[in-house]
Amino acid sequence: MAATTAWLSPPSRTELIENLVSGVDRYNPSNVGILEDYLYHQIRSEEYDCLANLAILKLYQFNPDLFNPDVVINILLKALTAEPFPDFNLCISLLDDRPPNSALDEPDPLPTLLPLLMNLYNLLHQCRFSAFWVLYRSDELEVIRENYTVECAGFEDAIREVAARSVRATFTRINSERLGTYVDLTGPELEAWVAKQRWTFDSSTGVVSIPPNPDNQIESVVIQEHIKLPQLSKVISHTVQVK
Amino acid sequence: MAHQRVALWAAEPDLDDINDTDVDIPIPMPSSTNEMYDDPNLQLDEGSLQAMQQHIAQQAAFAQIPDVVKRFIVHFHQAVLDNNLQEVTLAYESGWTRLTEKYYAKTEWPEAETIAPLVNDDQIFLILYRELYYRHVYSRLQPNVDDRFHSYENSCELFNYLLNSDGPVLLSLPANWLWDIIDEFIYQFQSFALFRSRPASKTDDELTMLGSEGGAQAWSSYSVLNVLYSLIQKSRANEWLKARAEGKSDEEIEEIVGEYGTKPLYRMLGYFSIIGLLRVHVLLGDFTLALKVMENVGLGQKAPFTAPTAVHVSTAYHAGVCYFMLRRIPDAARVFTGVLTWVMRARQYHTRSYQYDQINKTADRMYALLALCHVLAPTRLDDNVMNIVRERYGDQIGRMGRGEEGLSTFEELFLYACPKFICANSPPYDDPTALASMLIPPTPTSPSSQNPSVVLGDPTQRHLRAASSHFMSLTPVSSLKSLLKLYTSLDAKKLTGFLDTSGAGVDEEEVLSWMMVMKNAGRCVGRVNTGSTAANGEKDSDEGSRPSESLLSGEWMSISDLNFVIDQNMVHIAESTVGRRYAGWFIRNSEHAARVLDSVKASPLPPRIAPTQVQKKSADGPKGEGAPRTTGQKVAWGGVKVA
């Protein structure tokens, strides 16, 4: 199963959205409402559709008066959970400069929040998970926590999933405390989470074992040449001809 | 004098070109010439004076046109009228460039109005002529704001004519020209976007023009996209490509594409518009959409017809940039390498046309991007292209491999190689106060800071930051790699100790983060290709890529040859090596030897020098291998016979 199939067209996407994303209708500004509703649906039900969110950002790019910073922040938060896919960067690429919009009722929160979000992203990308949680729980990010992630169902679990992906690839066995700092869980919660991941938790030694997967089984490989018969056909046929 | 003036008027058909728009009094008929001298018609007097002056100027300009040029224009026009594709191609490719070099290297070609009499005011031809005229202005000279607006209007007229006439147009233009039309259209759009995003240095005139109603409409992203999408839809290019891929018969294809799609003009325009869309989306920063529109085209070199080289080069460059920004480095590298090898081979067949310089410049940028790819995801590509890259960018690659100090080199190369991204919207020219507040210099941002403050300004800077952050996250990887290569198993604490050479307090947690980053960097999504030669020794997925598979799909693949795993605190390392590859070399050389042998045997025997020698030759003939040795001293393939 191609790794990107789900990313390209998530099973949760309806046909209406599919048409919007793949067709010319995506440029129609009046469709922005449909896509925004879909985004909120994603937020509430723990789904994620990258291309549809990018379509929203593109509409904002062309129609700056439609710009809604809350939507943008939600999209960026969702993109954070998609590591290691490059979604966050793609979203940033589409965030054009726009003239100061006086049509908004409240001051635009984006310019202040964006650096914080980028910090979060950098930490995730550099696999500094414990630092991520520290920053996330700090006072600075209270605004994000209060207003945005609290609505986003399963945000923290999704971040834990990101950490789990990295850990799964790198470790065969890992200290449970260390794992706890990576996912910001302790004690029985940690054990429950580990069980959900189907890793084994050895409570006596406090070590979590990760079952083998293609990434954490290593072996030394010597890449040999693989000569196929068709490659030799010309040479062989020529010798036959000559004789 | 008055009589003379009247006579000229009556003969002049395009009086509407008078620049003086204050004249709303209709041009009086010759019978009312006496009223000209009255006061209310004083403006009219100026208007008529200007018209006459203009006409005189035009005639003077007309007289200045060299005869060669006049003949060329007439000939060109005739060829276009006759739909004589060969003649048009000849005129377009060699005639135009030759005359430009000779007469118009530093100035503009004569205006369309001036040469109008030569072509009997054929509007269609004049539109095409203007297209060439403005292209010349943009490439050799500096277009001013008037030029920009006029070229936009001209393009609109051209596309209007192509798309909105009743039924397909009976023009027949060479593929080169069609590609240049699309390419230039997008280039002018890009140029205008860059021009308007810099409000600081505009004169007042320019500001008013940009702020006006027409100014906001000109070169708007929506209209550009509209043109491209309309061309694609009218010619049903996507359906055509799909039908071809599925191997439908010609009749079925004709049915599918409708009357527009069967005409080569529209078919080529449709195909080129798809590529154009790819480029526009890349310029606007939407990389996934760019790859999505290329779904039916694919990236192989098998274009459905002999497309100009520039098309392939442009496609590959932009697709590669998309993959690069999507962090799918092996895909990007593969695309670049493929097209660069092809360009190198095909270089001698190019005419010194307008496209030649473009191709070279794009190729240079691709080399630079390949160097960046190599730094981010080093693979073992030891072929001609990589050698050239190493030649040109060897020390930059070295500097970038040394960690943080390489950041400025990385940025430099990226800024050189990336396309000139544009902003979809213009600064608010229609709102002077907003514009003024924009001009207040923002707080300076250094692009190399790791925690950038928000300046969503220049789009290139944004993309640069995205790429740089990726680069920065990979900086520890190279030192880690060199250390890990020396061990099969290593304790994490020891590793920390090694890395802590500067005593900067690198703690174990940080090292572990680096290890995870390295592990992540060692895998990325890549396109699975059954025909690919870069076997990484890992899962060789033979599920294959059907030609209809999207360019965005891919599998997780490992691109690093140094694999490791951490068992609590112990790091186990395994390195994969490549066995000696000799088969390819031998096969190639045996085939070459066989060809040489065949050519020698086929060549006529040298004239009789002496009877004895001739006898030896005929005896040795059937033995094959012995022939070269006896017939001539020139054959140098002695080594092969040993095998």
Side-chain angles (χ1 to χ4, degrees), chain A residues 110-237:
Chain A
L110 192 62
T112 38
L113 289 183
L114 193 58
L116 298 175
L117 286 172
M118 295 201 68
N119 281 344
L120 284 177
Y121 172 71
N122 280 330
L123 288 176
L124 265 189
H125 191 55
Q126 292 172 2
C127 294
R128 294 211 191 132
F129 300 118
S130 24
F132 174 86
W133 290 111
V134 164
L135 179 60
Y136 182 66
R137 302 272 179 225
S138 72
D139 293 331
E140 277 183 7
L141 266 71
E142 197 170 321
V143 128
I144 293 188
R145 284 203 311 277
E146 306 269 294
N147 297 339
Y148 300 104
T149 56
V150 73
E151 291 181 15
C152 183
F155 175 72
E156 301 184 1
D157 278 334
I159 302 282
R160 285 185 190 117
E161 189 57 40
V162 172
R165 258 177 261 164
S166 292
V167 167
R168 199 181 299 142
T170 323
F171 292 87
T172 46
R173 287 185 313 166
I174 181 175
N175 213 329
S176 62
E177 286 166 33
R178 184 170 284 157
L179 183 60
T181 54
Y182 287 166
V183 299
D184 197 38
L185 292 171
T186 48
E189 288 177 352
L190 179 60
E191 289 183 36
W193 185 81
V194 166
K196 213 167 61 158
Q197 295 289 327
R198 278 182 283 223
W199 300 346
T200 47
F201 186 78
D202 190 348
S203 32
S204 52
T205 50
V207 165
V208 175
S209 296
I210 299 165
N213 58 53
D215 289 318
N216 71 356
Q217 294 303 100
I218 58 167
E219 49 187 19
S220 203
V221 177
V222 176
I223 305 171
Q224 283 288 6
E225 196 127 36
H226 189 61
I227 309 172
K228 303 196 187 70
L229 189 58
Q231 287 174 291
L232 293 171
S233 62
K234 268 179 99 175
V235 182
I236 296 178
S237 61

Side-chain angles (χ1 to χ4, degrees), chain B residues 184-429:
Chain B
E184 185 64 22
F185 181 57
I186 301 175
Y187 172 70
Q188 288 173 1
F189 168 55
Q190 184 186 18
S191 168
F192 185 77
L194 290 171
F195 167 77
R196 85 176 158 203
S197 63
R198 282 192 279 257
S201 52
K202 300 272 178 294
T203 67
D204 280 331
D205 264 348
E206 296 175 330
L207 285 176
T208 22
M209 279 202 81
L210 284 167
S212 69
E213 181 63 44
Q217 278 298 92
W219 295 118
S220 70
S221 324
Y222 264 125
S223 56
V224 172
L225 286 171
N226 194 14
V227 164
L228 293 172
Y229 273 113
S230 309
L231 280 172
I232 295 177
Q233 270 176 352
K234 206 75 179 211
S235 62
R236 303 211 208 143
N238 274 322
E239 285 84 355
W240 174 60
L241 287 168
K242 243 187 287 199
R244 275 188 96 258
E246 291 164 13
K248 297 229 163 82
S249 74
D250 279 336
E251 296 87 35
E252 283 178 328
I253 293 184
E254 272 196 32
E255 239 186 77
I256 295 178
V257 300
E259 62 168 334
Y260 277 90
T262 32
K263 298 266 174 336
L265 180 85
Y266 285 93
R267 182 177 295 182
M268 287 195 274
L269 273 179
Y271 181 73
F272 294 150
S273 302
I274 301 183
I275 317 271
L277 263 188
L278 164 71
R279 182 171 163 196
V280 170
H281 286 310
V282 168
L283 289 176
L284 289 172
D286 195 347
F287 305 108
T288 40
L289 191 57
L291 286 178
K292 205 155 193 278
V293 305
M294 291 286 293
E295 248 169 12
N296 294 314
V297 176
L299 284 175
Q301 257 91 47
K302 35 173 174 52
F305 46 79
T306 330
T309 320
V311 176
H312 294 306
V313 172
S314 175
T315 321
Y317 173 70
H318 290 103
V321 169
C322 289
Y323 278 132
F324 187 82
M325 297 305 289
L326 280 171
R327 293 212 296 254
R328 287 167 62 158
I329 310 290
D331 289 335
R334 191 186 306 155
V335 168
F336 289 139
T337 325
V339 90
L340 282 172
T341 350
W342 190 68
V343 163
M344 274 187 347
R345 260 187 282 140
R347 197 167 272 206
Q348 55 259 44
Y349 301 123
H350 290 160
T351 54
R352 296 228 154 240
S353 70
Y354 162 73
Q355 297 175 355
Y356 187 67
D357 300 321
Q358 280 275 354
I359 294 176
N360 277 338
K361 262 191 267 182
T362 323
D364 287 336
R365 287 166 152 185
M366 286 200 274
Y367 281 124
L369 280 176
L370 254 189
L372 294 180
C373 289
H374 185 72
V375 166
L376 288 175
T379 49
R380 231 188 300 263
L381 282 178
D382 257 332
D383 62 342
N384 295 336
V385 178
M386 276 316 286
N387 283 337
I388 299 185
V389 171
R390 258 188 235 114
E391 242 178 72
R392 292 195 193 187
Y393 296 111
D395 33 307
Q396 274 108 325
I397 294 182
R399 248 180 281 148
M400 287 192 271
R402 258 177 266 136
E404 294 219 6
E405 6 171 303
L407 182 63
S408 47
T409 325
F410 181 86
E411 291 181 345
E412 211 181 287
L413 275 182
F414 183 79
L415 284 174
Y416 164 68
C418 69
K420 296 205 175 41
F421 298 106
I422 57 178
C423 202
N425 303 310
S426 72
Y429 284 110

Side-chain angles (χ1 to χ4, degrees), chain B residues 64 70 87 90 119 168 351 392 414 426 434 491 526 624:
Chain B
Q64 274 180 358
K70 282 193 199 142
E87 283 299 317
L90 206 58
V119 299
T351 54
R392 292 195 193 187
F414 183 79
S426 72
D491 188 73

Side-chain angles (χ1 to χ4, degrees), chain B residues 432-503:
Chain B
T433 41
L435 193 62
S437 67
M438 263 195 74
L439 286 178
I440 302 171
T443 51
T445 341
S446 124
S448 31
S449 69
Q450 245 182 324
N451 297 318
S453 66
V454 180
V455 172
L456 295 174
D458 189 8
T460 317
Q461 288 298 328
R462 256 185 293 134
H463 298 110
L464 174 65
R465 269 207 301 274
S468 307
S469 71
H470 187 50
F471 172 75
M472 285 305 293
S473 69
L474 290 180
T475 39
V477 170
S478 49
S479 38
L480 267 183
K481 235 186 176 171
S482 45
L483 272 180
L484 289 179
K485 268 198 165 137
L486 304 171
Y487 293 88
T488 42
S489 66
L490 175 61
D491 188 73
K493 286 203 187 28
K494 247 187 167 179
L495 180 60
T496 321
F498 284 139
L499 288 169
D500 197 8
T501 46
S502 54

